[in-house]
Amino acid sequence: MKIKFDLSLRAAPYYHEPKNEYVADVLDIFIKDPNFGLVSRQVFSHVTNKRTWPEILDNELNSEKVIFNRIFYDVLNSGILNPLSKVHFNYEYGIVSFTDFSGKLWRFERFM
């Protein structure tokens, strides 16, 4: 099984009050949906810099998380409801773990 994640960092307007021109930097992670060909579904979103947004809903932050006997610090959980993959992210490593479509947990060891 192949899994493909697409990551984007964007300047996002505050859609609730567009006339005020509020903006924040948002990291979004999508995964290709195996049931719908080229369609991707969002599995993670996080405001990396609030800039001028008046409010944000923060992702749950684990100060310490053990994944397959390895400790990761400052790990963010996805706040997406019913994601195709549960993603754990931190700023040092990026995606530190994720679940595949069957729910099996994976952790990146290294990139080749």
Side-chain angles (χ1 to χ4, degrees):
M1 172 183 354
K2 292 184 178 183
I3 295 178
K4 180 181 178 186
F5 290 101
D6 290 317
L7 286 74
S8 71
L9 181 61
R10 64 188 172 92
Y14 188 71
Y15 294 108
H16 302 290
E17 298 177 37
K19 289 185 179 183
N20 290 329
E21 299 181 358
Y22 296 138
V23 67
D25 296 326
V26 178
L27 171 70
D28 292 316
I29 301 175
F30 293 82
I31 192 168
K32 184 177 177 192
D33 189 332
N35 298 316
F36 295 102
L38 298 176
V39 175
S40 293
R41 291 195 21 203
Q42 190 168 20
V43 293
F44 185 86
S45 184
H46 176 65
V47 175
T48 62
N49 186 339
K50 181 181 171 184
R51 291 213 258 166
T52 59
W53 269 19
E55 62 183 345
I56 61 169
L57 297 173
D58 283 335
N59 292 15
E60 180 184 345
L61 177 67
N62 296 302
S63 58
E64 183 176 297
K65 185 163 185 73
V66 178
I67 303 169
F68 296 130
N69 298 319
R70 182 169 174 189
I71 299 173
F72 293 92
Y73 299 96
D74 300 322
V75 176
L76 294 162
N77 293 329
S78 175
I80 303 293
L81 297 176
N82 300 317
L84 285 179
S85 172
K86 292 184 181 179
V87 172
H88 296 101
F89 179 92
N90 80 359
Y91 284 102
E92 183 177 356
Y93 296 101
I95 297 173
V96 294
S97 73
F98 62 93
T99 58
D100 65 17
F101 303 122
S102 69
K104 181 179 177 181
L105 182 66
W106 294 83
R107 176 177 64 85
F108 285 122
E109 181 65 30
R110 65 183 173 275
F111 288 102
M112 300 269 201

